[in-house]
């Protein structure tokens, strides 16, 4: 199959490119390199079945493909708040452009949505039928509301135009190839612990998240894209239901790095959700999907990746210059 992956040079996208290329598909990786890096996909560039295109999804593009995974969108609060208007455009205009392509060529399309559509949830754990508790005018809304509109567009193109759509609601995912300065909690804590810096816990650290290792998530993506069912167009949560406070996560990172750590508490960002944990019954029954990598094991793999980069900062510098 010929498969388009937008945001393919980013953290999750590059893992997805690798897995689908290894399975024998032809991959078109499309990215504007805002948070993605050539380095994430450089090992695939010599493969005649792999093509890398620098392009912004907010602009139309004509391609002929069988499947589209639409991941293009910055995911870290630091990055999506850098240019919030652009973040909205990416989710809204980008998704319209990709849906237009899917409609034109008859491709199946999967949208990377997020647990952020639940906002600061009052239902716990979160099931897909919960409408969420999102501040429409806050600092996070460019991302949350952008993704909610992307979901709306998926459903309307399906109902109105018969486009074959899928929506995956991704819960916090971590692993190798996250940016060192990504700003998300797992990469922050690991890099800080490796450098011997204090771990920056926002607020009192009692807020919770559920962390999924990237290989498990990629398996969920591929299963959802390739499953047929009457209600397959409705959203599916994919995440690891293991729930940790940020204080517990700091302890887990200390264990994975094998060092004592110190914590410093910084101000809690506005609208930071207090709790988050997926109900994955739908993914289990529809896709037969379950996470397989516990946090301690996934953190060890991620620490190994960052350890090399923190110990060889010149490698990191030359890579960012060439991006
Ligand atoms: P990432 O920032 O590493 O990847 C996003 C990629 O999209 C980058 O390569 C970036 O350069 C590219 N991009 C951004 N705007 C673009 C544009 N306008 N045109 C073309 N490319 C553009 O983040 P990630 O963690 O890999 O996230 C991938 C997707 O998964 C995103 O859609 C994100 O919202 C979603 N998601 C991720 C998580 C998570 O925990 N990692 C959680 C929920 C949802
Ligand atoms: N967080 C933290 N220290 C950091 C970065 C984040 O304590 O250095 C907290 C943040 O306030 C949030 C949680 O970790 O409660 C997850 O943040 P992240 O940005 O990784 O993801 P999101 O908030 O989008 O779930």
């Amino acid at each position: 199959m010929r498969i388009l992956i937008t945001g393919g040079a980013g953290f999750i996208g590059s893992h997805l490119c690798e897995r689908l290329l290894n399975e024998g598909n032809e991959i078109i990786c499309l990215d504007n390199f805002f948070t993605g890096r050539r380095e994430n996909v450089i090992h695939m560039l010599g493969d005649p079945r792999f093509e890398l295109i620098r392009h912004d999804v907010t602009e139309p593009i004509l391609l002929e493909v069988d499947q589209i995974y639409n991941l293009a969108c910055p995911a870290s609060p630091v990055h999506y708040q850098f240019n919030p208007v652009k973040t909205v455009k990416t989710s809204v205009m980008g998704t319209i452009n990709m849906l237009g392509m899917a409609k034109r060529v008859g491709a199946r399309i999967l949208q990377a949505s997020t647990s952020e559509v639940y906002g600061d949830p009052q239902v716990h754990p979160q099931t897909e039928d919960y409408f969420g508790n999102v501040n429409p005018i806050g600092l996070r809304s460019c991302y949350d509301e952008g993704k909610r509109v992307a979901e709306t567009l998926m459903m309307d193109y399906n109902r109105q135009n018969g486009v074959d759509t899928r929506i995956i609601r991704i819960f916090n995912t971590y692993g190798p190839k996250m940016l060192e300065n990504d700003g998300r909690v797992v990469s922050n804590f690991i890099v800080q612990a490796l450098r011997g810096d204090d771990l920056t816990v926002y607020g009192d650290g009692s807020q919770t998240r559920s962390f999924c290792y990237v290989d498990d998530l990629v398996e969920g993506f591929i299963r959802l894209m390739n499953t047929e069912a009457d209600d397959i167009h409705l959203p599916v949560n994919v995440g690891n239901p293991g729930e940790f406070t940020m204080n517990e996560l700091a302890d887990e990172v200390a264990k994975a790095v094998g060092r004592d750590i110190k914590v410093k508490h910084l101000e809690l960002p506005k609208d930071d959700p207090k709790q988050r944990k997926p109900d994955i019954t739908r993914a289990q029954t529809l896709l037969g999907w379950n996470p397989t990598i516990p946090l301690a094991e996934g953190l060890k793999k991620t620490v190994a990746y960052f350890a090399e980069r923190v110990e060889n900062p010149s490698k990191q510098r030359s890579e960012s210059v060439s991006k």
Side-chain angles (χ1 to χ4, degrees), residues 250-321:
D251 292 339
E252 290 296 322
V253 167
K255 279 188 231 156
V257 173
R259 292 190 193 163
D260 289 339
I261 48 118
K262 275 197 283 178
V263 156
K264 69 174 170 199
H265 290 271
L266 302 181
E267 198 182 337
L268 187 69
K270 198 155 179 334
D271 291 338
D272 199 281
K274 283 182 267 316
Q275 52 181 0
R276 193 183 283 154
K277 170 185 164 125
D279 180 315
I280 58 166
T281 311
R282 191 164 145 75
Q284 287 169 323
T285 50
L286 199 64
L287 312 179
W289 179 88
N290 270 299
T292 60
I293 300 167
L295 184 64
E297 190 185 330
L299 284 180
K300 281 218 170 100
K301 292 172 194 263
T302 313
V303 166
Y305 170 81
F306 278 113
E308 206 194 316
R309 304 176 77 78
V310 169
E311 279 151 26
N312 296 304
S314 58
K315 188 167 177 253
Q316 172 86 14
R317 261 200 308 279
S318 65
E319 280 154 2
S320 10
V321 169

Coordinates of all heavy atoms in Angstrom, one line a residue, residues 250-321:
A250 N 8.2 11.1 39.0 CA 9.6 11.5 39.4 C 10.3 10.4 40.0 O 11.5 10.1 39.7 CB 9.5 12.8 40.3
D251 N 9.7 9.6 40.9 CA 10.3 8.5 41.6 C 10.6 7.4 40.6 O 11.7 6.8 40.6 CB 9.4 7.9 42.7 CG 9.3 8.9 43.8 OD1 10.2 9.8 44.0 OD2 8.3 8.8 44.6
E252 N 9.7 7.2 39.6 CA 9.9 6.1 38.6 C 11.1 6.5 37.7 O 11.9 5.7 37.3 CB 8.7 5.9 37.7 CG 7.5 5.3 38.4 CD 7.8 3.8 38.9 OE1 8.5 3.1 38.1 OE2 7.4 3.5 40.0
V253 N 11.2 7.8 37.4 CA 12.4 8.3 36.6 C 13.7 8.1 37.3 O 14.7 7.6 36.8 CB 12.2 9.7 36.1 CG1 13.4 10.3 35.5 CG2 11.0 9.8 35.1
A254 N 13.7 8.4 38.6 CA 14.9 8.2 39.4 C 15.3 6.8 39.4 O 16.5 6.5 39.2 CB 14.6 8.7 40.9
K255 N 14.4 5.8 39.5 CA 14.7 4.4 39.5 C 15.3 4.0 38.1 O 16.3 3.3 38.0 CB 13.4 3.6 39.7 CG 13.1 3.4 41.2 CD 12.0 2.4 41.4 CE 10.9 3.0 42.2 NZ 9.6 2.4 42.0
A256 N 14.7 4.5 37.0 CA 15.1 4.2 35.7 C 16.5 4.7 35.4 O 17.3 4.1 34.7 CB 14.1 4.7 34.6
V257 N 16.8 5.9 35.9 CA 18.1 6.6 35.7 C 19.1 6.0 36.7 O 20.3 6.0 36.4 CB 18.0 8.1 35.8 CG1 19.3 8.8 35.7 CG2 17.1 8.6 34.7
G258 N 18.6 5.5 37.8 CA 19.5 4.9 38.8 C 20.3 5.9 39.6 O 21.4 5.7 40.0
R259 N 19.7 7.0 39.8 CA 20.3 8.1 40.6 C 19.3 8.7 41.6 O 18.1 8.6 41.4 CB 20.7 9.3 39.7 CG 21.8 8.9 38.8 CD 22.3 10.2 38.2 NE 23.2 9.8 37.1 CZ 23.6 10.6 36.1 NH1 23.2 11.8 36.1 NH2 24.3 10.2 35.1
D260 N 19.8 9.3 42.7 CA 18.9 10.0 43.6 C 18.6 11.3 42.9 O 19.4 11.9 42.1 CB 19.6 10.4 44.9 CG 19.8 9.1 45.7 OD1 19.0 8.2 45.5 OD2 20.7 9.1 46.6
I261 N 17.3 11.8 43.0 CA 16.9 13.0 42.4 C 16.4 14.0 43.4 O 16.0 13.6 44.5 CB 15.9 12.8 41.3 CG1 14.7 11.9 41.9 CG2 16.4 12.2 40.1 CD1 13.4 12.6 41.9
K262 N 16.5 15.3 43.1 CA 15.8 16.3 43.9 C 14.7 16.9 43.0 O 14.9 17.0 41.8 CB 16.8 17.3 44.4 CG 17.5 16.9 45.6 CD 18.2 18.0 46.3 CE 19.5 18.4 45.6 NZ 20.3 19.4 46.0
V263 N 13.7 17.4 43.7 CA 12.6 17.9 43.0 C 12.4 19.4 43.4 O 12.6 19.8 44.5 CB 11.3 17.1 43.5 CG1 10.0 17.9 43.3 CG2 11.2 15.8 42.7
K264 N 12.1 20.3 42.4 CA 11.7 21.6 42.8 C 10.3 21.9 42.2 O 10.0 21.4 41.1 CB 12.7 22.7 42.3 CG 12.8 22.9 40.8 CD 13.7 24.1 40.5 CE 14.0 24.2 39.1 NZ 15.1 24.9 38.7
H265 N 9.5 22.5 43.0 CA 8.1 22.7 42.6 C 8.0 24.1 41.9 O 8.4 25.1 42.5 CB 7.1 22.7 43.8 CG 7.0 21.2 44.3 ND1 6.1 20.4 43.8 CD2 7.7 20.6 45.2 CE1 6.2 19.2 44.4 NE2 7.2 19.3 45.3
L266 N 7.4 24.1 40.7 CA 7.1 25.4 40.0 C 5.6 25.5 39.9 O 4.9 24.6 40.1 CB 7.8 25.3 38.6 CG 9.3 25.1 38.5 CD1 9.8 25.1 37.1 CD2 10.0 26.1 39.3
E267 N 5.3 26.7 39.4 CA 3.8 27.1 39.3 C 3.1 26.1 38.4 O 3.6 25.8 37.3 CB 3.7 28.5 38.9 CG 2.3 29.1 39.1 CD 2.2 30.5 38.6 OE1 3.3 31.1 38.4 OE2 1.1 30.9 38.3
L268 N 1.9 25.7 38.7 CA 1.1 24.8 37.9 C 0.5 25.7 36.7 O -0.1 26.7 36.9 CB -0.1 24.3 38.7 CG -0.9 23.2 38.0 CD1 -0.1 21.9 37.8 CD2 -2.2 22.9 38.8
P269 N 0.8 25.2 35.5 CA 0.2 26.0 34.3 C -1.3 26.1 34.4 O -2.0 25.2 34.9 CB 0.6 25.2 33.1 CG 1.7 24.3 33.6 CD 1.5 24.1 35.0
K270 N -1.9 27.2 33.8 CA -3.3 27.4 33.9 C -4.0 26.3 33.1 O -3.5 25.8 32.1 CB -3.6 28.8 33.3 CG -5.0 29.2 33.7 CD -5.1 30.7 33.6 CE -6.6 31.1 34.0 NZ -7.6 30.1 33.7
D271 N -5.2 25.9 33.6 CA -6.0 24.8 32.9 C -5.3 23.5 32.9 O -5.8 22.6 32.1 CB -6.4 25.3 31.5 CG -7.4 26.4 31.5 OD1 -8.1 26.6 32.5 OD2 -7.5 27.1 30.5
D272 N -4.3 23.2 33.7 CA -3.6 21.9 33.7 C -4.6 20.9 34.2 O -5.1 21.0 35.3 CB -2.4 22.0 34.6 CG -1.4 20.9 34.3 OD1 -1.6 19.8 34.8 OD2 -0.4 21.2 33.6
P273 N -5.0 19.8 33.4 CA -5.9 18.8 33.9 C -5.5 18.1 35.2 O -4.3 17.8 35.3 CB -6.0 17.9 32.7 CG -5.7 18.7 31.5 CD -4.6 19.6 32.0
K274 N -6.4 17.9 36.1 CA -6.0 17.3 37.4 C -5.8 15.8 37.3 O -5.1 15.3 38.1 CB -7.1 17.7 38.5 CG -7.0 19.1 39.0 CD -8.0 19.4 40.0 CE -9.3 20.1 39.5 NZ -9.1 21.1 38.5
Q275 N -6.5 15.2 36.4 CA -6.4 13.7 36.4 C -6.7 13.3 34.9 O -7.4 13.9 34.2 CB -7.5 13.1 37.3 CG -8.9 13.6 37.1 CD -9.9 13.0 38.0 OE1 -9.6 12.2 38.8 NE2 -11.1 13.4 37.8
R276 N -6.1 12.1 34.6 CA -6.4 11.6 33.2 C -6.0 10.1 33.2 O -4.9 9.7 33.6 CB -5.6 12.4 32.2 CG -6.0 12.1 30.8 CD -5.1 12.8 29.9 NE -5.4 14.2 29.8 CZ -4.5 15.1 29.4 NH1 -3.3 14.7 29.1 NH2 -4.8 16.3 29.2
K277 N -7.0 9.3 32.7 CA -6.8 7.9 32.7 C -7.8 7.3 31.6 O -9.0 7.6 31.8 CB -7.0 7.3 34.0 CG -7.1 5.8 34.1 CD -7.4 5.3 35.5 CE -7.9 3.8 35.5 NZ -7.1 3.0 36.4
P278 N -7.3 6.6 30.7 CA -8.2 6.1 29.6 C -9.0 4.9 30.1 O -8.5 4.0 30.8 CB -7.3 5.7 28.5 CG -6.0 5.3 29.1 CD -5.9 6.2 30.4
D279 N -10.3 4.8 29.7 CA -11.0 3.6 29.7 C -10.8 3.0 28.3 O -11.1 3.6 27.3 CB -12.5 3.9 29.9 CG -13.3 2.6 30.0 OD1 -13.1 1.7 29.1 OD2 -14.2 2.4 30.8
I280 N -10.1 1.8 28.3 CA -9.7 1.3 27.0 C -10.6 0.1 26.6 O -10.2 -0.7 25.7 CB -8.2 0.9 26.9 CG1 -7.9 -0.1 28.0 CG2 -7.4 2.1 27.0 CD1 -6.5 -0.8 27.8
T281 N -11.8 0.0 27.2 CA -12.7 -1.2 26.8 C -12.9 -1.2 25.3 O -12.9 -2.3 24.7 CB -14.0 -1.0 27.6 OG1 -13.7 -0.7 28.9 CG2 -14.9 -2.3 27.5
R282 N -13.1 -0.1 24.7 CA -13.5 -0.1 23.3 C -12.3 -0.6 22.4 O -12.5 -1.4 21.5 CB -13.9 1.4 22.9 CG -14.5 1.5 21.5 CD -15.2 2.8 21.3 NE -15.1 3.3 19.9 CZ -15.8 2.7 18.9 NH1 -16.6 1.8 19.1 NH2 -15.6 3.2 17.7
A283 N -11.1 -0.1 22.8 CA -9.9 -0.6 22.0 C -9.7 -2.1 22.2 O -9.3 -2.8 21.3 CB -8.6 0.2 22.5
Q284 N -10.0 -2.5 23.4 CA -9.8 -4.0 23.7 C -10.8 -4.8 22.9 O -10.4 -5.8 22.3 CB -10.0 -4.2 25.2 CG -8.9 -3.7 26.1 CD -9.2 -3.7 27.6 OE1 -10.3 -3.5 28.0 NE2 -8.2 -4.0 28.4
T285 N -12.1 -4.4 22.9 CA -13.1 -5.2 22.3 C -13.1 -5.1 20.8 O -13.2 -6.1 20.0 CB -14.5 -4.9 22.8 OG1 -14.7 -3.5 22.7 CG2 -14.7 -5.3 24.2
L286 N -12.9 -3.8 20.3 CA -12.9 -3.6 18.8 C -11.6 -4.0 18.1 O -11.7 -4.6 17.0 CB -13.1 -2.1 18.6 CG -13.6 -1.6 17.3 CD1 -15.0 -2.1 17.1 CD2 -13.6 0.0 17.3
L287 N -10.5 -3.7 18.8 CA -9.2 -3.9 18.1 C -8.4 -5.1 18.7 O -7.3 -5.4 18.2 CB -8.3 -2.7 18.2 CG -9.0 -1.3 17.9 CD1 -8.0 -0.2 18.1 CD2 -9.5 -1.3 16.5
G288 N -8.9 -5.6 19.9 CA -8.1 -6.6 20.6 C -6.8 -6.1 21.1 O -5.8 -6.7 21.2
W289 N -6.8 -4.7 21.3 CA -5.5 -4.0 21.7 C -5.4 -3.9 23.2 O -6.4 -3.6 23.9 CB -5.5 -2.6 21.1 CG -4.3 -1.8 21.4 CD1 -3.1 -1.9 20.7 CD2 -4.1 -0.9 22.5 NE1 -2.2 -1.0 21.4 CE2 -2.8 -0.5 22.4 CE3 -4.9 -0.5 23.6 CZ2 -2.2 0.4 23.4 CZ3 -4.4 0.4 24.5 CH2 -3.1 0.9 24.4
N290 N -4.2 -4.1 23.7 CA -3.8 -3.9 25.1 C -2.4 -3.4 25.2 O -1.6 -3.9 24.4 CB -3.9 -5.2 25.9 CG -5.3 -5.5 26.5 OD1 -5.8 -4.7 27.3 ND2 -5.9 -6.5 26.1
P291 N -2.1 -2.5 26.1 CA -0.7 -2.1 26.2 C 0.1 -3.2 26.8 O -0.4 -4.0 27.6 CB -0.8 -0.9 27.2 CG -2.1 -1.0 27.9 CD -3.0 -1.8 27.0
T292 N 1.4 -3.3 26.4 CA 2.2 -4.5 26.8 C 3.4 -4.0 27.6 O 4.1 -4.8 28.2 CB 2.7 -5.3 25.6 OG1 3.4 -4.4 24.7 CG2 1.5 -5.8 24.8
I293 N 3.8 -2.7 27.5 CA 5.0 -2.3 28.1 C 4.7 -1.4 29.3 O 4.2 -0.3 29.2 CB 5.9 -1.5 27.0 CG1 6.1 -2.5 25.9 CG2 7.2 -1.0 27.6 CD1 6.7 -1.9 24.6
P294 N 5.0 -1.9 30.5 CA 4.8 -1.1 31.7 C 5.7 0.1 31.8 O 6.8 0.1 31.2 CB 5.1 -2.1 32.9 CG 5.6 -3.4 32.3 CD 5.6 -3.2 30.8
L295 N 5.3 1.1 32.6 CA 6.1 2.3 32.7 C 7.6 2.1 33.0 O 8.4 2.7 32.3 CB 5.4 3.2 33.8 CG 6.1 4.6 33.9 CD1 5.9 5.4 32.6 CD2 5.5 5.4 35.1
A296 N 7.9 1.2 34.0 CA 9.3 1.1 34.4 C 10.1 0.6 33.2 O 11.2 1.1 32.9 CB 9.4 0.1 35.5
E297 N 9.6 -0.3 32.4 CA 10.3 -0.9 31.2 C 10.5 0.2 30.1 O 11.5 0.4 29.6 CB 9.6 -2.1 30.7 CG 10.3 -2.9 29.7 CD 9.4 -4.0 29.1 OE1 8.5 -4.5 29.9 OE2 9.6 -4.3 28.0
G298 N 9.4 0.9 29.8 CA 9.4 2.0 28.8 C 10.3 3.1 29.2 O 11.1 3.6 28.3
L299 N 10.4 3.4 30.5 CA 11.3 4.5 30.9 C 12.7 4.1 30.7 O 13.5 4.9 30.3 CB 11.0 4.8 32.4 CG 9.7 5.7 32.7 CD1 9.6 5.9 34.2 CD2 9.8 7.0 31.9
K300 N 13.0 2.8 31.0 CA 14.4 2.4 30.8 C 14.9 2.6 29.4 O 16.0 3.0 29.1 CB 14.6 0.9 31.2 CG 14.6 0.7 32.7 CD 15.6 -0.4 33.1 CE 15.8 -0.5 34.6 NZ 15.1 -1.5 35.2
K301 N 14.0 2.2 28.4 CA 14.3 2.3 27.0 C 14.5 3.8 26.6 O 15.4 4.1 25.8 CB 13.2 1.7 26.1 CG 13.1 0.2 26.2 CD 11.8 -0.2 25.4 CE 11.3 -1.6 25.7 NZ 11.7 -2.5 24.7
T302 N 13.7 4.6 27.2 CA 13.7 6.1 26.9 C 15.0 6.7 27.5 O 15.6 7.5 26.9 CB 12.4 6.7 27.4 OG1 11.3 5.9 27.0 CG2 12.3 8.1 26.8
V303 N 15.3 6.3 28.7 CA 16.5 6.8 29.4 C 17.7 6.4 28.5 O 18.6 7.3 28.3 CB 16.6 6.2 30.8 CG1 18.0 6.5 31.4 CG2 15.6 6.8 31.7
A304 N 17.8 5.2 28.0 CA 18.9 4.8 27.2 C 19.1 5.7 26.0 O 20.2 6.1 25.6 CB 18.7 3.4 26.7
Y305 N 18.0 6.1 25.4 CA 18.0 7.0 24.2 C 18.5 8.4 24.6 O 19.4 9.0 24.0 CB 16.6 7.2 23.6 CG 16.5 8.2 22.6 CD1 16.8 8.0 21.3 CD2 15.9 9.5 22.9 CE1 16.7 9.0 20.3 CE2 15.8 10.5 22.0 CZ 16.2 10.2 20.7 OH 16.0 11.2 19.7
F306 N 18.0 9.0 25.7 CA 18.4 10.3 26.1 C 19.8 10.3 26.7 O 20.5 11.3 26.5 CB 17.4 10.9 27.1 CG 16.2 11.5 26.5 CD1 14.9 10.9 26.6 CD2 16.3 12.6 25.7 CE1 13.8 11.4 26.0 CE2 15.2 13.1 25.0 CZ 13.9 12.6 25.2
A307 N 20.2 9.2 27.3 CA 21.6 9.2 27.9 C 22.6 9.5 26.9 O 23.5 10.2 27.1 CB 21.8 7.8 28.6
E308 N 22.5 8.8 25.7 CA 23.4 9.0 24.6 C 23.5 10.5 24.2 O 24.5 11.1 23.9 CB 23.0 8.1 23.4 CG 24.2 7.7 22.6 CD 23.7 7.2 21.3 OE1 22.7 6.3 21.3 OE2 24.2 7.6 20.2
R309 N 22.3 11.1 24.1 CA 22.2 12.5 23.6 C 22.8 13.5 24.6 O 23.4 14.5 24.3 CB 20.8 12.8 23.2 CG 20.3 11.9 22.2 CD 18.8 12.1 21.9 NE 18.7 13.3 21.0 CZ 18.9 13.2 19.7 NH1 19.3 12.1 19.2 NH2 18.8 14.3 19.0
V310 N 22.4 13.2 25.9 CA 22.9 14.1 27.0 C 24.4 14.0 27.1 O 25.1 15.0 27.3 CB 22.2 13.9 28.3 CG1 22.8 14.6 29.5 CG2 20.7 14.2 28.2
E311 N 24.9 12.8 26.9 CA 26.4 12.6 27.0 C 27.1 13.1 25.8 O 28.3 13.4 25.9 CB 26.7 11.1 27.3 CG 26.5 10.8 28.8 CD 26.1 9.4 29.0 OE1 26.5 8.5 28.2 OE2 25.5 9.1 30.1
N312 N 26.5 13.2 24.7 CA 27.1 13.7 23.4 C 26.3 14.9 22.9 O 25.7 14.9 21.8 CB 27.0 12.6 22.3 CG 27.8 11.4 22.7 OD1 29.0 11.5 22.9 ND2 27.2 10.3 22.7
P313 N 26.4 16.1 23.6 CA 25.6 17.2 23.2 C 26.0 17.7 21.8 O 25.2 18.3 21.1 CB 26.0 18.3 24.3 CG 27.1 17.8 25.0 CD 27.2 16.3 24.8
S314 N 27.2 17.4 21.3 CA 27.6 17.9 20.0 C 26.8 17.2 18.9 O 26.4 17.8 17.9 CB 29.1 17.6 19.7 OG 29.3 16.3 19.9
K315 N 26.4 15.9 19.2 CA 25.6 15.2 18.2 C 24.3 15.9 18.1 O 23.8 16.2 17.0 CB 25.4 13.8 18.8 CG 24.7 12.9 17.9 CD 24.8 11.4 18.3 CE 24.1 10.5 17.4 NZ 22.8 10.0 18.0
Q316 N 23.7 16.3 19.2 CA 22.4 17.0 19.3 C 22.5 18.3 18.5 O 21.6 18.6 17.7 CB 22.0 17.2 20.7 CG 20.8 18.1 20.9 CD 19.5 17.3 20.9 OE1 19.5 16.1 21.0 NE2 18.4 17.9 20.7
R317 N 23.6 19.0 18.7 CA 23.7 20.3 18.0 C 23.9 20.2 16.5 O 23.2 20.9 15.8 CB 25.0 21.1 18.6 CG 24.7 22.1 19.6 CD 25.8 23.1 19.8 NE 27.1 22.5 20.0 CZ 27.5 22.1 21.1 NH1 26.8 22.2 22.2 NH2 28.7 21.5 21.2
S318 N 24.7 19.3 16.1 CA 24.9 19.1 14.6 C 23.6 18.7 14.0 O 23.2 19.1 12.9 CB 26.0 18.2 14.3 OG 25.6 16.9 14.7
E319 N 22.8 17.9 14.7 CA 21.5 17.4 14.1 C 20.5 18.6 14.0 O 19.8 18.7 13.0 CB 20.9 16.3 15.0 CG 21.5 15.0 14.8 CD 21.5 14.1 15.9 OE1 20.9 14.5 17.0 OE2 22.0 13.0 15.9
S320 N 20.5 19.5 15.0 CA 19.5 20.6 14.9 C 19.9 21.5 13.8 O 19.1 22.1 13.2 CB 19.3 21.3 16.2 OG 20.2 21.0 17.2
V321 N 21.2 21.7 13.6 CA 21.7 22.6 12.6 C 21.3 22.1 11.2 O 20.8 22.8 10.3 CB 23.2 22.8 12.6 CG1 23.7 23.5 11.4 CG2 23.6 23.6 13.9

